[in-house]
Amino acid sequence: MSFSLKQIRHFLAVAEARQISRAAVEHNISQSALTASIQQLEAILGGPLFERRSSGVTLTHAGSLFLPLARKVIASCSEALAVSGDIPRKVQGRLDIAVTYTVAGYFLTPLLIRFRRIFPHVEFTIREASRAVIEADVMAGSGEIAILLTSNITPDPRLAFKTLFRSNRSLWAPADHPLLKCERIGLAEIAAYPYVALTVDEALDTASRYWEQTPHRPNIMFRTASVEAVRSMVAAGLGVTILSDMVYRPWSIEAQRIETRDIADPVPTMDVGVVWRKDTAVTQAARAFVDFMQGAFQSSGETVGSP
């Protein structure tokens, strides 16, 4: 027995939404049909992909291993359809892509590899800068296309953007941490333990905004711009943190395990997207890049403006 592309898409929908009911609504399918599709896929693969909880679902170990493979399957199908046409090979030009730190380190590389295969005659350069610098360059006309955290973007009528991917934020804790035994983990429970705060890409500013919606505050013992430093400290038991699933890896560089858990209180997603200037003519290469990125994720994220 083999699985279908539809089942893989259903798996990805639930993995991203973390709730079967929410995924069903977002993808216009009945909850019972979506549940049946996931159960069929689990039967084919020989084990559960999700742990069912009252608050939603989380990936099992097998599910976390299957997730990147499922994304590659869907991406490869989209790429095969694109490469088979004549249009991609006719697109030419140069493209300057500005990115922020998190995008450069945890999001960009596999997409650029696929874009280069589909559009072999588009040359591109990449530069890294802060969101504020990138936004200023795009608005000034010195930057054409950017990929950054659209959840942090400064509202401006001159900017257009497309959110491609929404990454949930979760608690990170060492494998033996007492919080992992709790039925409910909220910000009040997390505040009782030392906290390792990431500062890069405005991570601490974002965290401060959702902490300030509660009477609780994180017990920060260390601030750092290094995701790997956060990973190592959390895995070693020096503190816990809340970070995006996009940057999560289960092991530190010291080969110590990090576990994640859902947070009961509202914590916003980290959104990644493409940004350009509304009133500037978009080149053929830039339009191809935006269309490629949209197709790669088929996101339900909001589009503000269009290229």
Side-chain angles (χ1 to χ4, degrees), residues 5-270:
L5 288 177
K6 181 182 291 186
Q7 288 169 332
I8 295 179
R9 290 192 176 96
H10 289 167
F11 164 77
L12 291 174
V14 175
E16 291 168 4
R18 290 194 173 189
Q19 286 185 340
I20 291 178
S21 57
R22 184 190 304 166
V25 171
E26 290 178 352
H27 292 266
N28 195 28
I29 183 176
S30 71
Q31 188 170 332
S32 60
L34 185 57
T35 299
S37 180
I38 295 298
Q39 290 174 340
Q40 290 164 7
L41 180 60
E42 290 176 327
I44 293 168
L45 295 177
L49 298 171
F50 297 101
E51 292 180 6
R52 277 73 172 177
R53 300 178 180 176
S54 58
S55 60
V57 297
T58 58
L59 289 169
T60 62
H61 178 64
S64 65
L65 294 177
F66 186 66
L67 180 61
L69 300 176
R71 286 175 174 157
K72 286 181 181 178
V73 168
I74 297 301
S76 296
C77 290
S78 298
E79 182 178 335
L81 289 173
V83 170
S84 64
D86 292 332
I87 293 177
R89 299 195 174 270
K90 293 179 180 178
V91 176
Q92 300 183 28
R94 297 185 61 85
L95 190 59
D96 173 47
I97 306 170
V99 299
T100 54
Y101 170 86
T102 304
V103 169
Y106 298 92
F107 181 82
L108 190 63
T109 300
L111 292 166
L112 288 180
I113 291 171
R114 288 165 49 204
F115 180 77
R116 186 166 58 185
R117 281 201 294 259
I118 296 172
F119 298 95
H121 302 301
V122 175
E123 299 180 15
F124 54 79
T125 57
I126 309 160
R127 59 188 176 89
E128 182 183 301
S130 69
R131 177 191 57 81
V133 169
I134 291 173
E135 286 183 9
D137 286 348
V138 172
M139 287 189 288
S142 57
E144 186 175 15
I145 291 289
I147 311 175
L148 45 73
L149 304 187
T150 53
S151 46
N152 293 345
I153 201 166
T154 303
D156 190 291
R158 293 170 292 177
L159 285 181
F161 66 89
K162 168 67 180 178
T163 295
L164 302 164
F165 177 71
R166 302 186 190 278
S167 178
N168 291 302
R169 288 184 168 95
S170 304
L171 169 73
W172 293 15
D176 58 352
H177 199 278
L179 279 174
L180 302 182
K181 300 177 183 178
C182 296
E183 183 67 23
R184 181 191 186 280
I185 305 173
L187 295 179
E189 289 75 24
I190 295 170
Y193 294 91
Y195 190 93
V196 184
L198 184 68
T199 60
V200 74
D201 264 356
E202 304 166 279
L204 187 53
D205 293 338
T206 300
S208 296
R209 287 195 293 272
Y210 60 76
W211 278 98
E212 287 170 1
Q213 301 303 310
T214 77
H216 314 293
R217 295 295 180 269
N219 180 20
I220 297 176
M221 53 81 64
F222 184 59
R223 293 173 172 83
T224 177
S226 168
V227 177
E228 293 308 318
V230 174
R231 207 185 312 278
S232 291
M233 287 194 170
V234 168
L238 295 176
V240 298
T241 196
I242 298 171
L243 281 180
S244 159
D245 293 349
M246 189 180 83
V247 303
Y248 170 72
R249 304 292 182 271
W251 303 97
S252 70
I253 57 175
E254 297 84 10
Q256 294 176 298
R257 178 77 184 180
I258 300 168
E259 298 284 346
T260 65
R261 292 292 187 274
D262 290 342
I263 301 167
D265 294 314
V267 174
T269 57
M270 185 184 79

Side-chain angles (χ1 to χ4, degrees), residues 270-284:
M270 185 184 79
D271 304 342
V272 181
V274 187
V275 179
W276 64 95
R277 180 169 170 143
K278 281 183 182 178
D279 59 359
T280 301
V282 177
T283 65
Q284 183 186 46

